[in-house]
Amino acid sequence: MDETVVFPAQQSTAAGASVPAPSLAGLAFSKGHGTGNDFVLIADPGDAHEITPEQVAQLCDRHVGIGGDGLIRAVPSRFLPEGRDLLEQDPDAEWFMDYRNGDGSLSEMCGNGVRVFVHFLIAENLVDLGPGETLTIGTRGGVKKVVRTANGYAVDMGPWEFIFPKEATSKAMDALVSADGLEVARPGLSVSMGNPHTVVALAELKELAATQLFKAPVVDPKPAHGTNVEFVVPAEPLVEDGVGTITMRVHERGVGETQSCGTGACAAAVAIRHWAGATAPNDWHVNVPGGVVDVKFFPGAGGREHVELSGPAVIVATGTLS
């Protein structure tokens, strides 16, 4: 891909008039993905580019833009208020993953996007990271530590938590979820991975395939800031050689169905492990339409359990906006 036409967006002034948004002509971009979860990537080391929500949506449009589940701008943390806050916690978080959903809305973070973001930083010669080395980055979901592995990247996603802990511990569910293709509403369990998820277990793969995710499932009650929804089928047997296996599809806020969702894979493993009981393993394979990611639970700082997400990251194209 050498060049993509982007139609000019409009932005409103305080008086309500519309004026052209700053032009993105000549701006270099890359296209990358992690197990099919794809992103438009922009390097902005000088914080020189104001990209409006309308322009994000146009760039991510699969018909008139580049196409992607979201847009990631690589910008030094010092240029953003939330980035400066993170630098006070960890001065090593030099780079900030400024992530927006495909509709232009801000998102806390994206697990697949973190891997692609770090791969992009390396490809752009903005960082030097050898196998086994760790890079610290900032996201709206907090500081993340990323290790370069032989087959991709492993990300310490930080601690997980139930969004409605009382219901999760007493009833093992906190919501009813309806979706086209399912005859009745199903119980769901809501998990925060820095962003919100509601996980639904289904009995069979054919039921998973029949679930239609063209529009957002209805979650009642819905977490305060909306939620991503994962539909999951446990393998039979669930555990082999100490590793659990599940298959998942996901509807992401502001995007729709995606080929993969890293934080969603983590949330799905949290929920299935919770439902499976005390003997459930800490290592999981999560099959998604775009491939396989691995999820691992381990003790974190302060006694809280953390989740590690690992998988590949690929840059598939580069170009310049016209």
Side-chain angles (χ1 to χ4, degrees), residues 18-32:
S18 293
V19 297
S23 173
L24 300 181
L27 182 62
F29 70 89
S30 293
K31 171 74 177 286

Side-chain angles (χ1 to χ4, degrees), residues 22 25 76 107 130 138 149 158 163 177 205 224 229 239 244 260 277 288 299:
S107 183
T149 68
I163 294 176
V177 180
L205 290 174
V229 183
V239 181
S260 181
V288 295

Side-chain angles (χ1 to χ4, degrees), residues 43 85 97:
D85 289 342
M97 185 179 106

